[in-house]
Amino acid sequence: ELATMGMRGALSLSTLDIEVVIGEGDLDDAPGFRLGERIRGTAHGVGRDLPVIQMAVDPVDGTNAARKNAPGALCVAAGALSGEGRLWGAPEGYADKRCVGPEIARAIRKLAEKGDVFRAGEWSLDPHQSLLEQPLEGLIAFAEKTLNKEVVVEFLDRPRNEEVAGAVERTGAVPRLVPAGDIASAVRTGSAAHNVDISAGIGGSPEGVIAAVIVKCYRGLFEQRPWFSPDADGARLRERHAGAGLDPDAIL
């Protein structure tokens, strides 16, 4: 609640007209931003037209870390200028994600320009295909060749990420498990100082939208697609996606 109050106060001091398209609190009635909430900045009402920003907000990503006074929690917001882009309205749920920093992203783009496919033993990477459509092992092998170093793959320490752990083990990459906060993982791929080369695995879907904006700013690559647990809850969430007019299998 305090984080929400602080963020709303800071945003209200901006010269922006903000529409919250991804908030929090709707699912569990927690104190937070509501979908469609408008926050008009300091120039509102003084005869000045404000730029309208669609915004995704997360007052605390990594609440357990914040509660324990541990590192890794973020207060973060990401936006798109209305008319120039639109943030995907992610329902609360999970998504499978894959993220690399700018150096690996540049190498993938160059590979695509040449029309080549990377191959290393049994692994390969086709730059014309989605990263999520290909085994993670190929991306790890490509990153190792590009960076000429031991590749570090960061992912949430959850049973649902066993597949990522297996790919890391099979390639000999370095696993870095984090207890929470996969937005921060995406941030860490943007700077060599953090020594995180790939962020992967299943985490929160709305958080992925914020991460995608951050990664776009530093010219990395980020993809996600909805993930549904193999039980009744997963089936209901898939129906919720379809009911909202969203493709439950789309790679974004």
Side-chain angles (χ1 to χ4, degrees):
E1 185 175 1
L2 289 173
T4 300
M5 291 171 58
M7 176 177 273
R8 184 179 284 110
L11 292 176
S12 67
L13 295 175
S14 71
T15 53
L16 298 173
D17 184 351
I18 296 167
E19 177 192 6
V20 177
V21 296
I22 295 178
E24 63 171 12
D26 294 278
L27 189 64
D28 53 6
D29 199 32
F33 293 88
R34 304 300 179 193
L35 298 184
E37 180 176 342
R38 296 297 286 269
I39 303 171
R40 291 179 170 88
T42 55
H44 180 66
V46 295
R48 176 180 172 185
D49 291 332
L50 304 181
V52 177
I53 301 292
Q54 294 179 338
M55 188 162 284
V57 298
D58 198 341
V60 180
D61 180 53
T63 51
N64 285 332
R67 186 179 297 116
K68 297 175 182 178
N69 198 27
L74 294 177
C75 174
V76 63
L81 187 63
S82 183
E84 296 188 12
R86 180 165 184 85
L87 296 184
W88 185 66
E92 292 189 51
Y94 294 104
D96 192 8
K97 310 175 192 180
R98 206 155 290 179
C99 172
V100 298
E103 188 171 352
I104 299 173
R106 281 195 300 270
I108 292 175
R109 295 185 185 109
K110 287 181 180 179
L111 189 67
E113 291 171 1
K114 294 178 181 178
D116 291 341
V117 174
F118 169 78
R119 302 186 189 281
E122 60 183 307
W123 313 120
S124 64
L125 178 72
D126 186 341
H128 301 287
Q129 291 185 11
S130 160
L131 298 178
L132 285 167
E133 291 177 318
Q134 306 178 71
L136 179 58
E137 290 91 339
L139 178 59
I140 293 173
F142 180 77
E144 184 175 6
K145 179 179 183 298
T146 299
L147 302 175
N148 193 29
K149 65 181 282 290
E150 209 170 33
V151 171
V152 177
V153 181
E154 188 166 280
F155 54 98
L156 290 175
D157 187 7
R158 302 287 189 277
R160 60 178 179 263
N161 285 324
E162 288 180 359
E163 187 174 333
V164 175
V168 171
E169 183 177 357
R170 285 188 290 273
T171 55
V174 177
R176 181 175 293 173
L177 282 69
V178 291
D182 58 349
I183 294 179
S185 282
V187 172
R188 284 190 283 270
T189 65
S191 170
H194 292 296
N195 194 29
V196 175
D197 305 306
I198 299 171
S199 176
I202 298 163
S205 188
E207 288 83 357
V209 177
I210 296 175
V213 174
I214 295 169
V215 175
K216 183 180 179 69
C217 289
Y218 67 63
R219 294 188 59 76
L221 285 176
F222 181 94
E223 293 180 2
Q224 78 172 29
R225 63 182 166 196
W227 178 87
F228 309 101
S229 57
D231 54 21
D233 288 340
R236 282 192 293 269
L237 188 56
R238 173 178 279 274
E239 291 177 0
R240 186 179 173 199
H241 272 70
L246 302 172
D247 182 353
D249 299 308
I251 295 176
L252 305 168

